[in-house]
Amino acid sequence: MDVIRSSEHTVFVQTSNIYYKKWEVENPQNTIILLHDSLGCTALWREWGEEFAKVLNFNVISYDRRGYGKSDNYTVKRPIDYLEQEAEILNDLLAHWQVEKPILFGFSDGASVATIYAGMFPEKINGLIIEGVHVLIEEVTLQGVREAQKTLETTNISKALAKYHGDKVFDLYYAWTKTWLSDEHQSWNIEHFIPKIQVPILIIQGELDEFGTMNQVNAFDKAMAKVEKLIVPKAGHTAHKDAKPLVFDTIVKFVKTL
């Protein structure tokens, strides 16, 4: 199935102009929402949106969270429940898009937002796909964040990211790292949302994920819904990049069972 059109838009939600991109097909069977990671944005999903649309005959929507990509900058100090706030914004976006019962595909921070949303609004989605999810604080997570901050300060990564985030790079980078490393954030935990999830869940985790262990994956054993796990051999945090064919095919098969 061919994508009949792709389009880019901006909508004001709560406090910010939010950028999003849509890939639309004829007679779509459903919609997939892409939720990016802590340094990501719509552009960094690259070809995934268009390929999902073509292979599944689904509409696909990706958006940039506050402070990322082509959305407004967001310099307010992040509270401990900032990801819950992002789930509320997602709910407003779905209402704006008039999308009902979509499938959420979240990566890293986006996976945490998707998990929260699935627990907050269990009847509003049709399936949950999460990659590199965080539901609890681990030392390996904190060490990964420390290394990421060091990379910002000792390499030219800010110049590479400026292509996608413009002059927001240092704001979003420090908002992420300083929030996760702060004393108040060490009590952060969203496991209580998991038993509330009512839809099938596909969890994808790189075997060598530098930001989380199998504790993040196994936390979903308490879900009431069906849980499928894909542990990607020799892959790191970005399993969808490290082993794209395997991850893509697994997602397609999962979606077709819904």
Side-chain angles (χ1 to χ4, degrees):
M1 178 61 63
D2 291 332
V3 174
I4 58 173
R5 62 179 168 270
S6 64
S7 56
E8 300 179 64
H9 311 268
T10 302
V11 59
F12 189 81
V13 177
Q14 296 190 17
T15 61
S16 304
N17 287 299
I18 301 295
Y19 164 86
Y20 64 95
K21 184 171 184 178
K22 299 174 72 174
W23 294 264
E24 297 176 275
V25 299
E26 193 171 1
N27 300 317
Q29 296 183 31
N30 202 333
T31 300
I32 290 181
I33 310 296
L34 302 180
L35 296 100
H36 65 77
D37 59 303
S38 57
L39 296 177
C41 61
T42 292
L44 285 167
W45 281 108
R46 306 197 187 280
E47 70 284 349
W48 281 76
E50 183 173 2
E51 290 185 2
F52 275 142
K54 288 180 177 180
V55 172
L56 291 167
N57 193 39
F58 275 40
N59 287 340
V60 180
I61 304 176
S62 176
Y63 70 99
D64 297 347
R65 292 195 302 277
R66 298 174 295 175
Y68 292 84
K70 297 179 181 179
S71 292
D72 283 350
N73 201 358
Y74 184 67
T75 56
V76 176
K77 182 181 177 181
R78 293 181 179 181
I80 193 170
D81 66 344
Y82 80 96
L83 294 177
E84 284 91 330
Q85 293 180 4
E86 294 296 341
E88 296 279 4
I89 290 174
L90 173 57
N91 194 50
D92 290 347
L93 285 168
L94 291 174
H96 170 75
W97 297 326
Q98 297 183 316
V99 170
E100 297 182 357
K101 297 273 191 176
I103 296 165
L104 304 182
F105 176 22
F107 167 50
S108 194
D109 271 18
S112 300
V113 175
T115 298
I116 293 166
Y117 188 90
M120 277 186 172
F121 307 101
E123 298 178 356
K124 288 191 174 184
I125 62 172
N126 196 45
L128 179 63
I129 303 163
I130 46 178
E131 175 194 354
V133 67
H134 301 110
V135 295
L136 61 133
I137 296 285
E138 295 185 282
E139 178 54 34
V140 66
T141 310
L142 299 177
Q143 185 56 35
V145 173
R146 293 185 196 105
E147 290 295 327
Q149 186 166 305
K150 182 178 178 181
T151 297
L152 173 69
E153 295 169 346
T154 59
T155 72
N156 290 323
I157 192 172
S158 62
K159 292 183 179 179
L161 288 172
K163 176 180 177 181
Y164 305 102
H165 302 291
D167 60 4
K168 299 189 289 290
V169 173
F170 281 89
D171 286 335
L172 70 87
Y173 220 117
Y174 281 123
W176 167 49
T177 58
K178 291 186 176 181
T179 298
W180 278 77
L181 296 175
S182 67
D183 290 341
E184 58 264 35
H185 201 71
Q186 302 318 299
S187 62
W188 178 86
N189 189 293
I190 59 169
E191 291 179 90
H192 57 283
F193 287 107
I194 294 173
K196 301 174 184 178
I197 299 172
Q198 299 177 7
V199 297
I201 305 167
L202 171 62
I203 306 173
I204 301 161
Q205 178 91 352
E207 179 186 30
L208 306 177
D209 192 326
E210 59 273 33
F211 287 97
T213 72
M214 286 296 294
N215 290 333
Q216 308 287 347
V217 175
N218 294 336
F220 286 81
D221 291 346
K222 64 174 72 77
M224 304 300 291
K226 175 186 175 184
V227 178
E228 181 179 337
K229 300 175 184 178
L230 172 65
I231 309 305
V232 183
K234 300 180 181 179
H237 191 55
T238 55
H240 69 285
K241 295 180 181 179
D242 297 345
K244 182 187 174 182
L246 172 62
V247 173
F248 188 88
D249 289 350
T250 301
I251 292 173
V252 169
K253 290 175 183 175
F254 172 78
V255 169
K256 287 182 177 180
T257 67
L258 300 177

